[in-house]
Amino acid sequence: MFYEATLGPLHDAAAAAIDEAMLLVPRVWERDHTVWGDDSTEISDRLGWLDAPERADELLPSLEALAADVRADGITDVLLVGMGGSSLYPEVLARCLGPARDSPWLRVLDSTDPGAVLAAERELPWASTLLVPASKSGTTVEMTCHLDRFWERLTEANGTAAGRHVLAITDPGSALDRRATEQGFRGVVHGQPDVGGRFSALTPFGLVPAALLGLDLAAHLEPAREMLAASRWTHPRENTPFSLGAILAAATRAGHDKLTLLLPPSMSSFGLWIEQLVAESTGKHGTGIVPVLDESPDTAHFGPDRLVVAFGEHPALSDIPPEVPTIALDPSGPNRLAAEVVRFEVATAVAGALLRINPFDQPDVAAAKDATAQVLDTGADLPDPVPVAALTDTVTQGDVVALLGFVTPGSPDERLLHAVAARWRRELDVPVTVGIGPRYLHSTGQLHKGGSDRLVAVVTVADDPEDAAIPGRDYGFSRLKRAQAAGDLRALAGVGRRAGLVDLAELRALAG
């Protein structure tokens, strides 16, 4: 069934869940919404991912022609601006595979930190850069603000030809779709309206960036087709996606809800995509699977609340305590990314069914967005910081600490957060996750507010030595970033989470 599985105390519950999951196979493929709930809302219109690789066949010639046209125009760099499901898989492709020969470099911006915005602005050659705003709704605030600012840079560099340097990815009829027509963008590639954002990796939201990178799209999708075919079997040995989903559900019900992922270095960034998929899909109604990245038995305590999933023969497997259920998937690599996308999409959907939740909605995401809008409207700012100990002293076994930093991605401040997380893993003996804002709001944010209350959220915000204005708004990116942090703190407090703002200077002292 898997390369190796040592389920220990979870064995019997996992076997029963797998039997239950196999009964769901025909119903899932018949798109029976009652697999997930009696109400078809946000289920029946969210199942298009089940045949996305097959539907992509119709798009491949036009996407390949589009990419060739972009190369012919001398484009050297692509900047994709978007959040969550619109940006994470392109980021994985850029990091794990990179551009083919003579294809442009792909850079992804999913931050409102002024330092990140200004770095992209100053480092990119705007006369040979293609801007790709990506958003299903076409109204994502981060994407809209990035587009507004970078449109000015494109106009400065290219004059009336600025529109030729913008290619949008959005659903038909969205605000971004209309703007593309109004401003004369190079073009618009429409997404699939029947696929939710976090399940959209193998739709145009992932395939357009793949084409621009010069990937062989047919070869990229072939492993996905193979995995989809395997997921139609009703025998668990052949159907690893359904079996994995069943084990995830059984583990969560038995208290092994910390899904610890061990990935090879060549696929390390893929963990960010899995994190969003699993956390946002399952973290609701007081339950949820908590993805844990960047931890291993030699750097953290592996307690009985974990389920470990490794990709192939990971060297850390031999150090996993026997009471921790462990699965080793078949060895994989960057060339099989699309197969792993399908495996985890199916597994997450199956886990949702067995946990009696709808994995396709996100009922708590709007809370932070609404709170951010209130902060901006009222002119409020961040709350007063609290001592770190006021939060960490409340941690007990079974908790998870989320260290959430609104800092410049890839900066010394981000490295600081990881150093603090490493210390807390040793001292607190619980999983510690690191989220960079506002990215995490579109990823683990749903889990933080809708999942278990065994969460301690430590939020920190870096000062901005230089701001970046947002055209048409009376605030800049610094104000937006701080409002997003303040809004999330309000939303976390609203559902009774142990959460607070801590001073980045205190974290620096902790890191030594």
Side-chain angles (χ1 to χ4, degrees), residues 40-41 63 66 83 118 125 149 207 263 271 327 439 450 475 482:
S40 64
T41 304
L63 294 183
L66 172 64
M83 303 301 297
L118 291 170
R149 182 171 178 97
L207 296 179
L263 294 112
I327 298 170
R439 168 187 282 179
Y475 55 84
R482 293 172 68 86

Side-chain angles (χ1 to χ4, degrees), residues 40-51:
S40 64
T41 304
E42 286 201 87
I43 301 177
S44 292
D45 59 351
R46 290 292 182 268
L47 298 178
W49 55 275
L50 285 166
D51 62 355

